[in-house]
Amino acid sequence: MELGWLLWGAAVLLLLPVLMELSPAVNFALRIGFYYLLFFVCSALTAPVCLLVNGGRTVKNMRIIKTVVKTFKYFFGLRFEVKGLENFEVEGPAIIVSNHQSILDMMGLMEVLPDNCVQVGKKELMYAGTVGLIIYLGGVIFINRKSTSSAKMVMAEVAKTMATDNVKVWVYPEGTRNCTGDLLPFKKGAFHVAVQAQVPVIPVVYSSFTTFYNPKKNLFTSGKIKVEVLPPIETKGLTSDDVSELTDRCYRTMRATLFRLSGRPGE
Ligand SMILES: CCCCCCCCCCCCCCCCC(=O)SCCNC(=O)CCNC(=O)[C@H](O)C(C)(C)COP(=O)(O)OP(=O)(O)OC[C@H]1O[C@@H](n2cnc3c(N)ncnc32)[C@H](O)[C@@H]1OP(=O)(O)O
Ligand SMILES: CCCCCCCC/C=C\CCCCCCCC(=O)OC[C@@H](O)COP(=O)(O)O
């Protein structure tokens, strides 16, 4: 029995490099599967540490999560080239908005995440096993995208409490992953919250992943990701009537930056 398992294990180990060469699909599945496994196992190991160190759900746990997730890039040969971090140094709370391409964004998020910053996430993530637990402990704000009214209520609450809690809130205004190399139209919630709380909007742009990551083509190799934190956009004195223009302005600036960072000619 043991000999059988030994032979089986040896065969897989010998065949794996061949399989990975022969089949991009196998290579992609193994790499993305390993990414999920890293999330799952590291979440399970980090959750007790967060509970022991910080006692429960608090943005302070993001420091621990960030320390762990920042190591993931080495497993996948990914490098980040970051510019503009000084733009995070605003007095007090702010709304941070960035493009969202894939679950790989979690590495980019943690690469630059400022202190006291929580994220807005779809509520389905709460049920992602140990990952749901760790993002709950990290203070992630969960919204139900299928119910605009309830999502708006949650966001309105964020606008009220972010000042007292002195937290920054990171939102993906596209509202979903989009790995096309362009931006989807922006949802307005993040900008309503910024205006309601009268806090600046800080745009963050990640260069396109398409040169090293494309699930449709089973592409997932090593690569470099350029990250640029843009100057804050003030909202003091703005009202809800200005939200559409603020959203459009932010969209245009981020889209131009995305094209520049990705070496794509602007339109
Ligand atoms: C140790 C190991 C650990 C391993 C794991 C570690 C993981 C790392 C930890 C961090 C985890 C981070 C997880 C991130 C997950 C990211 C996501 O899940 S992205 C998906 C969720 N995010 C969003 O959806 C983006 C935010 N969405 C919005 O802001 C939306 O606007 C909305 C509030 C959900 C409403 O959406 P919708 O109705 O579809 O569209 P809109 O056009 O935006 O709004 C319609 C309408 O309503 C007005 N409006 C919107 N928001 C408000 C508001 N807050 N107040 C008032 N009015 C609002 C808007 O103006 C529109 O009206 P109009 O007349 O057309 O203008
Ligand atoms: C014992 C229970 C076992 C449960 C198994 C679950 C295993 C969980 C392992 C990994 C989960 C990875 C999720 C990590 C967070 C990723 C954040 C993210 O990028 O979510 C996508 C969201 O932004 C937008 O979603 P859509 O593009 O709209 O779709």
Side-chain angles (χ1 to χ4, degrees), residues 35-37 39-40 100 102-106 122 125 127-131 135 145 172 175-178:
Y35 185 69
Y36 274 95
L37 186 68
F39 265 69
F40 189 63
H100 191 12
S102 125
I103 63 165
L104 302 183
D105 281 320
M106 295 303 104
K122 62 179 186 181
L125 291 174
Y127 314 116
T130 56
V131 175
I135 61 181
R145 292 182 299 186
Y172 291 102
T176 185
R177 288 164 290 181
N178 151 47

Side-chain angles (χ1 to χ4, degrees), residues 5-21:
W5 280 114
L6 209 63
L7 289 173
W8 172 242
V12 167
L13 281 177
L14 286 171
L15 275 174
L16 205 53
V18 174
L19 268 177
M20 284 174 77
E21 275 311 304

Side-chain angles (χ1 to χ4, degrees), residues 9-105:
V12 167
L13 281 177
L14 286 171
L15 275 174
L16 205 53
V18 174
L19 268 177
M20 284 174 77
E21 275 311 304
L22 285 179
S23 158
V26 171
N27 179 54
F28 181 86
L30 286 173
R31 281 171 70 88
I32 209 71
F34 181 61
Y35 185 69
Y36 274 95
L37 186 68
L38 263 184
F39 265 69
F40 189 63
V41 171
C42 292
S43 298
L45 297 174
T46 308
V49 175
C50 290
L51 286 168
L52 278 173
V53 172
N54 293 313
R57 174 173 160 92
T58 167
V59 66
K60 291 182 199 147
N61 289 326
M62 278 296 170
R63 278 191 180 183
I64 301 171
I65 293 169
K66 173 175 175 171
T67 306
V68 175
V69 176
K70 281 185 82 168
T71 64
F72 290 9
K73 57 180 177 284
Y74 301 114
F75 291 101
F76 301 98
L78 295 177
R79 284 174 297 119
F80 291 94
E81 196 177 277
V82 182
K83 278 175 69 178
L85 280 179
E86 68 279 3
N87 287 316
F88 278 145
E89 289 156 20
V90 296
E91 271 304 303
I95 291 287
I96 299 170
V97 289
S98 77
N99 55 322
H100 191 12
Q101 304 180 70
S102 125
I103 63 165
L104 302 183
D105 281 320

